Amino acid sequence: MHTIPLLGRGDFPEWRDAARALASAGISPREVDWRINGSDEALFEPDPLPDLPKPEGAAPLTVPPAFLPLAEAVVCHTEPGRFHLLYRLLWRLQADRRLLELTADKDVAWARLLAKNVDRDSHKMTAFVRFKEIAGETQGRRRFFAWFEPTHFIVARTAPFFRRRFADMDWIIATPKGTASWDGESLIFDMRPGEDPGHGDPTDDLWRTYYASIFNPARLKLKAMQAEMPKKYWRNLPEADLIPALIANAEANVRAMAERAASDPPLFHYRLQEAAQTVAQIIPAGAGTIDAVREEARHCTRCPLHCTATQTVFGEGPQQASLMMVGEQPGDQEDLAGRPFVGPAGKVFDAVLKEAGIARETLYLTNAVKHFKYEPRGKRRIHQKPDRGEIDHCRWWLAKEIELIKPRLIVALGATALYALSGEQRPLNQLRGKPITMQGDMVLYPTIHPSYLLRLPDENERQRQHALFVEDMRLVEHLKETMV
Ligand code: URA
């Protein structure tokens, strides 16, 4: 019998390495005793793997692609028999590559069920984590903390969701099953159990307001709610103590809702903005400055896009910039971060600017439309092009930016920006790279939008277009320097 000690805290490579060594040595599942040794002291000093017999001409191990994601999920379950189950599957897969297709097979069904539990737990974490702001900033980044109690070892697995969603703040999510932290550069996972600091803070009030405003009594399904939110999640939710009263008043509220269908409460983000203003006592910047206009734009309701976007994403850069670049509209990440070009297109753009020798902080970077337009699809928000009406409404802000920045040269990144800046509707490829004089002494330079490069399926074409875009930017820099 081979005893294999594992920490068993959701670390897939730990099981994989042991399983690989055992299977390559021809050791059958019956000869393996998987021991979970997850005490706190043992966390960083796992016992070494025992010596195994050397494989003799054994066939290399292979598994169908579906096995890896299944095993990665199962390893995160707290079920003590999970390692044995996975090893048995691995062993059986060597003889039967199509085993995983047999959904009635006992091992397969069991593994699928464990994986489903793990996915469900991850899903709960994405829904029920509540960040609280910690006073003070690190290098200008706000800091947040959350306490969560998962059933399984899912923190490392689920943390990338929070990195994508909250990329612009520093955060720690502590749980009894490990802690994840993000500082804008590295996502770090620590397997040691975290501790619940157990304190409320003003953020709780915002959550309560939010919860009360989205609670729809007409859609109340008590059983589903309780199944979705077992006691341990409620305990850590600031809004939980509102629920009994909301449920108790549900019937009366449904009636009241039917009577006042036309006067819905203001949207959550307004109340958040207002609350943030009251708390921070924001003092409007001096009139006639870009900061004052930015502040005004935070409350823009000129078109319906403000209803679904998180916030206005205004332009940024020095007020004296002689070069302005205009994109289309903020994307998902820009909408959450409140800054233009910080998502995937922004990364491409940063690389192109760097290659062209343009320092991003010297230019004024903005968008034709200041709110994110999207279509919700499941949990994702799919970018949608702004229409003419939205562009026309938002031109009011773009014109203010031009008036205050007074750039000598404006680059239109893509067709939406070109239309917003000049009304031009001819295809971009007819106008790209051909400077247009604007308002007497300003020059408009049309080029592609950086996201065009992300959409090109062919790698060679992508490289070619990337190089052309860098050329455009070099030319822009040259034009700016030579304009009097
Ligand atoms: N695309 C844009 O046009 N602007 C952004 O800020 C991000 C993506």
Side-chain angles (χ1 to χ4, degrees):
M1 183 60 89
H2 299 271
T3 301
I4 306 296
L6 297 180
L7 294 177
R9 300 185 73 90
D11 179 12
F12 176 68
E14 159 182 81
W15 172 83
R16 181 201 55 205
D17 294 349
R20 210 182 252 158
L22 289 161
S24 326
I27 296 165
S28 89
R30 261 175 282 118
E31 300 169 81
V32 186
D33 175 15
W34 297 92
R35 285 269 168 89
I36 298 172
N37 184 17
S39 73
D40 295 351
E41 311 84 64
L43 279 183
F44 292 98
E45 287 170 32
D47 296 343
L49 272 182
D51 279 342
L52 298 168
K54 293 271 172 289
E56 279 171 22
L61 273 186
T62 56
V63 286
F67 180 68
L68 280 185
L70 179 71
E72 279 168 356
V74 170
V75 154
C76 298
H77 205 282
T78 43
E79 158 61 43
R82 61 198 182 279
F83 298 117
H84 187 69
L85 167 69
L86 284 179
Y87 188 56
R88 210 164 50 227
L89 276 175
L90 176 68
W91 187 261
R92 292 181 59 202
L93 277 167
Q94 302 313 302
D96 180 1
R97 293 269 307 168
R98 306 191 63 182
L99 173 64
L100 295 183
E101 292 164 30
L102 307 177
T103 44
D105 180 275
K106 227 170 105 208
D107 285 344
V108 174
W110 184 225
R112 287 198 193 283
L113 181 67
L114 297 189
K116 198 168 154 193
N117 294 161
V118 165
D119 283 345
R120 198 170 153 75
D121 203 28
S122 281
H123 170 75
K124 290 220 151 71
M125 180 167 168
T126 61
F128 297 139
V129 156
R130 298 286 181 269
F131 284 108
K132 295 173 180 193
E133 186 154 11
I134 306 171
E137 296 186 347
T138 323
Q139 294 172 339
R141 290 168 60 84
R142 292 163 70 195
R143 301 181 303 168
F144 292 79
F145 176 87
W147 172 254
F148 182 72
E149 295 176 37
T151 305
H152 304 292
F153 297 103
I154 48 137
V155 181
R157 182 181 174 78
T158 318
F161 166 87
F162 293 94
R163 179 187 51 197
R164 286 193 298 277
R165 198 85 183 145
F166 302 106
D168 62 320
M169 62 197 217
D170 288 358
W171 50 255
I172 296 173
I173 303 175
T175 87
K177 293 190 166 60
T179 295
S181 59
W182 165 251
D183 64 1
E185 279 180 6
S186 333
L187 182 61
I188 295 170
F189 177 66
D190 183 334
M191 284 191 207
R192 283 172 297 187
E195 277 185 24
D196 178 11
H199 52 68
D201 73 9
T203 327
D204 286 356
D205 293 337
L206 285 181
W207 269 113
R208 283 197 192 92
T209 315
Y210 169 56
Y211 190 81
S213 71
I214 59 161
F215 182 86
N216 183 347
R219 298 184 60 203
L220 176 62
K221 289 196 186 113
L222 198 50
K223 281 226 175 70
M225 224 169 134
Q226 282 161 346
E228 274 300 311
M229 265 213 259
K231 276 257 155 33
K232 70 174 179 170
Y233 297 118
W234 287 56
R235 204 169 51 232
N236 295 316
L237 298 179
E239 67 268 31
D241 50 5
L242 291 180
I243 293 172
L246 290 171
I247 291 174
N249 296 331
E251 255 183 59
N253 287 344
V254 173
R255 253 179 279 121
M257 259 171 77
E259 279 156 21
R260 64 168 162 80
S263 62
D264 283 338
L267 282 148
F268 171 53
H269 69 271
Y270 275 145
R271 266 176 274 114
L272 268 189
Q273 280 179 356
E274 272 161 27
Q277 276 183 315
T278 329
V279 172
Q281 295 284 299
I282 290 167
I283 300 158
T289 64
I290 197 74
D291 287 338
V293 179
R294 179 180 294 110
E295 179 55 30
E296 244 185 275
R298 274 179 12 101
H299 309 283
C300 179
T301 55
R302 300 179 76 85
C303 81
L305 292 184
H306 74 280
C307 300
T308 47
T310 307
Q311 56 190 314
T312 306
V313 178
F314 206 70
E316 64 178 26
Q319 181 149 358
Q320 315 70 25
S322 47
L323 177 58
M324 177 186 274
M325 299 212 190
V326 183
E328 181 191 76
Q329 61 157 349
D332 179 72
Q333 294 194 27
E334 287 80 12
D335 170 76
L336 296 169
R339 292 185 54 211
F341 286 100
V342 293
K347 302 247 167 359
V348 171
F349 189 49
D350 283 349
V352 167
L353 286 179
K354 197 163 167 205
E355 275 179 70
I358 300 177
R360 174 166 164 159
E361 54 292 355
T362 61
L363 55 94
Y364 186 87
L365 187 54
T366 191
N367 282 303
V369 171
K370 309 287 195 261
H371 279 121
F372 177 34
K373 179 174 178 183
Y374 62 92
E375 184 188 294
R377 209 171 290 161
K379 285 195 190 151
R380 296 179 59 215
R381 306 190 299 171
I382 309 297
H383 163 278
Q384 280 201 308
K385 254 191 175 328
D387 60 31
R388 293 259 156 76
E390 288 147 357
I391 301 170
D392 292 342
H393 277 107
C394 221
R395 191 178 287 113
W396 198 80
W397 296 113
L398 186 57
K400 288 253 174 215
E401 288 174 298
I402 295 174
E403 181 191 318
L404 291 165
I405 303 289
K406 299 187 183 57
R408 279 186 288 178
L409 181 57
I410 306 182
V411 176
L413 299 165
T416 300
L418 184 59
Y419 169 74
L421 288 159
S422 65
E424 237 336 319
Q425 296 185 45
R426 276 177 289 166
L428 185 64
N429 58 10
Q430 289 179 16
L431 301 162
R432 177 181 183 176
K434 297 179 183 149
I436 304 169
T437 306
M438 256 181 94
Q439 298 173 18
D441 54 353
M442 251 183 278
V443 171
L444 173 62
Y445 186 94
T447 183
I448 56 162
H449 189 281
S451 66
Y452 173 62
L453 300 179
L454 290 170
R455 291 195 300 269
L456 288 171
D458 179 71
E459 180 54 22
N460 288 338
E461 180 58 8
R462 201 190 57 71
Q463 284 182 13
R464 197 176 76 83
Q465 288 295 341
H466 181 104
L468 287 176
F469 194 25
V470 173
E471 270 316 298
D472 271 346
M473 291 297 130
R474 289 204 178 111
L475 191 65
V476 161
E477 182 63 3
H478 177 73
L479 264 179
K480 185 194 81 180
E481 294 304 323
T482 50
M483 280 174 75
V484 279

